[in-house]
């Protein structure tokens, strides 16, 4: 199929009653510092009140495009107009006070000592009176449910709280436009529902990047598809999700996520004729008191137990408990999901397992007590991949990146070279040895980080949100690679579809404790979790059923997308 040369005309047809666009992007080209083209002739109009989903595979140019909307990037060629004028001088300064951008990583946005200072930073730069700044800060933090943490340091918040705090820094400025880059990435279902409801109610213009098309379907009415730096299509969100062949051809097929509509014995199976009105009914157990069920026995210490933790606790320097009363056994070859709301203690637990933190209690690895020197040597046995590969990848080439670990292990040059080639092949990156990791797509960087761990041949791999920020095609490729690995895997994820694909067992954490330890099939149908920790992993079911219905209807008609 040819790229849609009629995208500009289509957007005008969708907003024919509005003469003046908010943004006009004309023949936009952008090259990175090394000369590599990122955007190639973008023509796009965005009108006041538009709710635009910006979608495409990793490396398509989505983040680069939105950074032009408030002048963070300057075009190599072409124009970006806001309210009919180019973004420069006083007009650029004004635009930056009216256009709020939420970055993927909230730590890129929170830089003050307290939330009060961070959220008040924008209004102060708008030169508002002190009383008005105070009202804006209180209002924004109240809207995101963080007013009680107003004087807390941002770096002491959970990831979900940081995301909401970053949003509050924008809301306090009462922006006309919100631009969001992967707003729901790494969030638990409760936090994700919060963002959906907040964005549904936003009265201004929205531009949102996400690989989660069911989420975008909740609050966007228009979809702009980028491919290789060009606009490939500009259509309605409903039309986009309806046509599975188009999604598959362009690496956007998320159909495997519709498994959330399968019947796991909890009454959440697919029902014919279900209509989706972008509103969710309350969960049948919400608001009811349910006594937490004791977790299943966490196994016993026997010959195949590789990790044994008993009566384990870790407390942070400020006195906050990270985990406590933890008892967990992991056998050789297990694939385990660690789940729970943001701030439940998941990352703290795996940091203790990896030897990054040292808690109090009993920890045995392969039958040996882990304390002091033994803890510092766990890196030879346990590998970890972080949420963001930028926190892990630091070498100038993939070869050097993957070779770093084996070199620290004292291996010979020939063995190091063999492991580099083997590990890159396992992650489908043969031939990338001399590529610069930071010039790769997000999916490729994730796989380079994984290869750097595999090269050390660990017995246990910890994967922290391995599919976050990946397009559907990259997600499925990574899952295929992980399924092939014959190692013990510990997965932190909020993504129930990825958990179902990769893990046989699920460990649920709440307020630093393990409250469930059972087969993943049981986790998938555990409705009581909603009452215990507010996590409803089925909250997208209605949306997914509606998408399934649209796809069935579309398959019975002629394709919408054609040359």
């Amino acid at each position: 199929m040819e790229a849609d040369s009629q995208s500009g005309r289509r957007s005008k047809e969708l907003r024919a009653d509005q003469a003046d666009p908010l943004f006009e992007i004309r023949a936009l080209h952008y090259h990175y510092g090394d000369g590599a083209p990122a955007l190639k002739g973008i023509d796009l109009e965005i009108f006041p009140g538009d709710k635009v989903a910006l979608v495409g595979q990793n490396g398509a140019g989505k983040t680069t495009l939105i950074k032009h909307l408030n002048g963070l990037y300057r075009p190599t060629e072409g124009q970006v107009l806001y309210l009919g004028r180019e973004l420069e001088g006083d007009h650029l300064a004004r635009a930056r006070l009216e256009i709020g951008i939420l970055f993927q990583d909230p730590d890129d946005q929170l830089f003050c000592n307290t939330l009060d200072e961070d959220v008040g930073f924008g209004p102060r730069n708008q030169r508002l009176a002190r009383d008005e700044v105070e009202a804006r800060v209180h209002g924004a933090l109240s809207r995101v449910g963080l007013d009680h943490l107003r004087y807390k340091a941002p770096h002491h918040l959970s990831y979900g709280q940081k995301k909401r705090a970053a949003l509050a820094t924008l809301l306090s400025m009462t922006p006309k436009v919100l631009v969001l880059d992967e707003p729901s990435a790494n969030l638990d279902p409760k936090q994700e529902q919060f963002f959906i409801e907040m964005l549904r109610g936003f009265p201004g213009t929205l531009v949102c990047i996400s690989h989660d098309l069911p989420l975008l379907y909740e609050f966007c009415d228009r979809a702009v598809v980028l491919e290789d730096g060009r606009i490939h299509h500009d259509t309605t969100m409903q039309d986009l999700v309806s046509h599975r062949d188009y999604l598959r051809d362009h690496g956007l097929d998320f159909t495997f996520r519709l498994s959330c509509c399968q019947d796991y014995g909890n009454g959440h199976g697919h029902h014919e004729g279900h209509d989706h009105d972008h509103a969710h009914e309350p969960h049948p157990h919400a608001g009811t008191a349910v006594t937490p069920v004791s977790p299943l026995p966490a196994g016993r210490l026997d010959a195949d137990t590789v990790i044994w933790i008993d009566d384990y606790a870790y407390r942070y320097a400020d006195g906050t408990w990270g985990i406590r009363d933890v008892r967990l056994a992991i056998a050789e070859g297990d694939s385990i999901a660690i789940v729970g709301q943001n701030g439940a203690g998941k990352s703290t637990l795996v940091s203790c397992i990896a030897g990054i933190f040292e808690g109090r209690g009993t920890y045995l690895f392969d039958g040996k007590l882990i304390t002091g020197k033994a803890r510092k040597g766990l890196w030879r046995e346990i590998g970890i991949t972080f949420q963001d590969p930028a926190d892990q990848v630091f070498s100038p080439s993939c070869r050097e990146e993957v070779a770093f670990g084996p070199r620290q292990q004292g291996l010979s040059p020939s063995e190091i070279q063999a492991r580099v080639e083997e590990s890159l092949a396992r992650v489908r990156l043969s031939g990338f040895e001399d590529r610069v990791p930071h010039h790769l797509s997000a999916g490729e960087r994730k796989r380079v980080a994984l290869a750097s761990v595999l090269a050390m041949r660990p017995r246990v791999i910890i994967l922290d949100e391995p599919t976050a920020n990946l397009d559907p095609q990259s997600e499925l490729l990574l899952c295929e690679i992980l399924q092939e690995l014959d190692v013990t895997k510990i997965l932190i994820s909020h993504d129930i579809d990825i958990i179902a694909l990769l893990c046989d067992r699920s460990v649920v954490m709440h307020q630093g404790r393990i409250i469930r330890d059972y087969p993943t099939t049981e986790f998938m149908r555990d409705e009581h979790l909603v009452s215990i920790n507010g996590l409803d992993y089925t909250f997208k079911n209605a949306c997914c059923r509606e998408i399934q219905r649209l796809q069935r209807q579309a398959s019975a008609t002629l394709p919408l997308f054609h040359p």
Side-chain angles (χ1 to χ4, degrees):
M1 185 184 69
E2 297 177 0
D4 185 3
S5 61
Q6 300 180 354
S7 62
R9 188 173 73 202
R10 182 182 293 275
S11 65
K12 290 180 181 179
E13 291 171 353
L14 292 171
R15 292 289 184 269
D17 57 325
Q18 299 185 26
D20 299 321
L22 191 65
F23 291 98
E24 296 174 80
I25 300 174
R26 301 172 180 171
L28 172 62
H29 292 259
Y30 181 78
H31 293 176
Y32 292 123
D34 63 358
L39 300 176
K40 308 169 185 176
I42 298 290
D43 290 296
L44 180 67
E45 292 182 342
I46 299 173
F47 293 86
D50 268 357
K51 314 296 182 188
V52 181
L54 193 59
V55 300
Q57 290 183 274
N58 294 118
K62 305 181 297 298
T63 298
T64 302
L65 176 57
I66 65 168
K67 287 183 177 179
H68 283 79
L69 296 182
N70 75 342
L72 290 177
Y73 284 177
R74 300 286 295 170
T76 303
E77 297 177 34
Q79 290 181 307
V80 177
L81 307 182
Y82 173 66
L83 294 174
R85 296 172 57 191
E86 288 201 62
L87 290 167
E88 55 188 15
D90 291 342
H91 187 58
L92 173 59
R94 171 194 168 189
R96 286 177 169 167
L97 297 177
E98 297 178 353
I99 304 166
I101 295 186
L102 185 71
F103 299 124
Q104 287 186 24
D105 186 349
D107 287 325
D108 292 339
Q109 210 140 3
L110 302 171
F111 52 85
C112 294
N113 294 318
T114 65
L115 286 188
D116 178 81
E117 294 173 15
D118 265 318
V119 178
F121 182 83
R124 291 186 186 97
N125 277 274
Q126 290 175 313
R127 299 180 181 178
L128 300 180
R130 181 176 298 178
D131 289 348
E132 179 64 17
V133 171
E134 168 70 20
R136 294 277 192 95
V137 170
H138 172 70
L141 286 173
S142 296
R143 288 180 69 184
V144 301
L146 294 177
D147 195 43
H148 65 294
L149 300 175
R150 180 170 179 172
Y151 298 104
K152 194 173 181 71
H155 61 275
H156 287 163
L157 302 178
S158 73
Y159 186 85
Q161 290 170 333
K162 286 181 182 179
K163 278 271 195 178
R164 285 188 280 150
L167 179 61
T169 67
L170 304 180
L171 296 178
S172 66
M173 299 175 70
T174 60
K176 293 182 179 179
V177 183
L178 271 181
V179 182
L180 307 109
D181 196 351
E182 296 286 357
S184 66
N186 305 335
L187 295 184
D188 64 52
K190 187 175 182 179
Q191 306 273 7
E192 194 172 335
Q193 282 179 288
F194 165 81
F195 267 86
I196 288 173
E197 296 303 325
M198 179 68 68
L199 297 177
R200 278 179 184 161
F202 181 67
T205 303
L206 274 177
V207 180
C208 185
I209 294 174
S210 181
H211 297 299
D212 189 342
L213 269 63
L215 175 129
L216 292 171
Y217 184 71
E218 295 276 6
F219 53 83
C220 291
D221 49 31
R222 180 178 168 196
V224 175
V225 181
L226 262 67
E227 186 171 281
D228 191 29
R230 297 181 175 89
I231 291 181
H232 196 280
H233 225 86
D234 184 349
T235 185
T236 67
M237 194 67 207
Q238 179 170 308
D239 287 340
L240 177 67
V241 301
S242 298
H243 291 79
R244 186 178 177 187
D245 288 344
Y246 178 85
L247 296 172
R248 185 186 300 113
D249 290 344
H250 297 278
L252 301 174
D253 185 13
F254 59 95
T255 308
F256 75 95
R257 295 197 168 280
L258 301 185
S259 65
C260 67
C261 296
Q262 295 174 1
D263 191 345
Y264 292 97
N266 57 1
H268 289 294
H270 176 73
H271 301 288
E272 298 292 333
H274 181 95
D275 289 324
H276 176 54
D277 59 1
H278 284 206
H280 300 294
E281 297 179 1
H283 192 280
H285 291 274
T288 61
V290 176
T291 302
V293 178
S294 298
L296 297 175
R300 63 182 186 275
L301 186 58
D302 53 28
D304 66 347
T305 300
V306 63
I307 291 172
W308 172 265
I309 292 176
D310 190 31
D311 191 26
Y312 207 82
Y314 180 81
R315 198 168 192 170
Y316 287 97
D318 66 355
T320 303
W321 286 103
I323 57 173
R324 48 184 163 173
D325 306 324
V326 170
R327 182 171 185 262
L328 180 66
I330 301 175
E332 196 88 48
D334 273 355
S335 291
I336 295 180
I338 308 291
V339 301
Q341 75 270 40
N342 292 111
K346 304 182 299 296
S347 293
T348 305
L349 174 59
V350 299
S351 293
C352 290
I353 291 173
I356 299 170
F357 295 161
E358 183 174 18
R360 187 185 69 240
T362 302
Y363 176 17
L364 303 180
F365 186 88
D366 201 21
K368 299 175 182 177
L369 186 65
I370 299 301
T371 58
K373 187 176 180 180
R375 179 178 67 87
K376 295 177 181 178
L378 283 172
W379 65 273
R380 295 177 177 273
E381 305 285 352
I382 301 175
I384 185 167
T385 63
F386 301 135
Q387 292 182 17
D388 186 351
D391 295 336
Q392 190 161 1
V393 175
F394 55 86
S395 297
S397 73
C398 294
R399 184 194 313 279
E400 293 176 75
E401 185 67 42
V402 179
F404 181 83
R407 191 171 290 121
Q408 307 314 304
Q409 291 176 311
L411 302 181
S412 68
S414 60
E415 178 63 18
I416 291 172
Q417 178 62 23
R419 291 204 184 185
V420 169
E421 293 175 0
E422 174 192 270
S423 299
L424 287 174
R426 293 179 79 179
V427 300
R428 315 296 196 270
L429 290 177
S430 293
F432 278 61
E433 285 83 354
D434 297 320
R435 298 279 295 275
V436 179
H438 289 287
H439 291 172
L440 302 179
S441 71
E444 290 165 342
R445 286 197 302 273
K446 286 262 191 180
R447 285 184 277 144
V448 169
L450 177 60
S452 70
V453 172
L454 294 177
M456 299 170 69
R457 295 186 180 170
R459 293 176 62 185
V460 178
I461 293 182
I462 296 170
L463 304 129
D464 194 352
E465 295 286 358
T467 60
N469 300 326
L470 298 186
D471 61 62
Q473 183 170 284
S474 297
E475 284 182 323
L476 284 175
L477 175 58
L478 184 58
C479 286
E480 178 183 316
I481 292 167
L482 294 175
Q483 286 173 322
E484 295 171 356
L485 299 180
D486 186 23
V487 296
T488 302
K489 293 184 282 288
I490 303 173
L491 178 79
I492 295 179
S493 182
H494 298 298
D495 193 325
I496 193 168
D497 300 297
I498 300 302
I499 291 169
L501 280 172
L502 297 177
C503 300
D504 300 320
R505 176 178 160 202
S506 295
V507 173
V508 183
M509 298 194 69
H510 179 57
Q511 296 180 353
R513 293 182 168 94
I514 292 176
I515 62 169
R516 295 284 198 280
D517 185 347
Y518 47 11
T520 295
T521 52
E522 296 292 323
F523 164 67
M524 299 283 281
R525 59 174 181 248
D526 189 349
E527 296 180 345
H528 298 298
L529 291 178
V530 179
S531 301
I532 297 170
N533 58 14
L535 298 187
D536 183 2
Y537 287 91
T538 67
F539 82 95
K540 288 184 184 176
N541 280 12
C543 178
C544 290
R545 291 175 191 138
E546 169 67 2
I547 291 172
Q548 286 178 321
R549 184 180 66 81
L550 291 171
Q551 290 185 346
R552 288 196 301 273
Q553 289 179 348
S555 67
T557 63
L558 291 175
L560 173 69
F561 302 130
H562 54 275

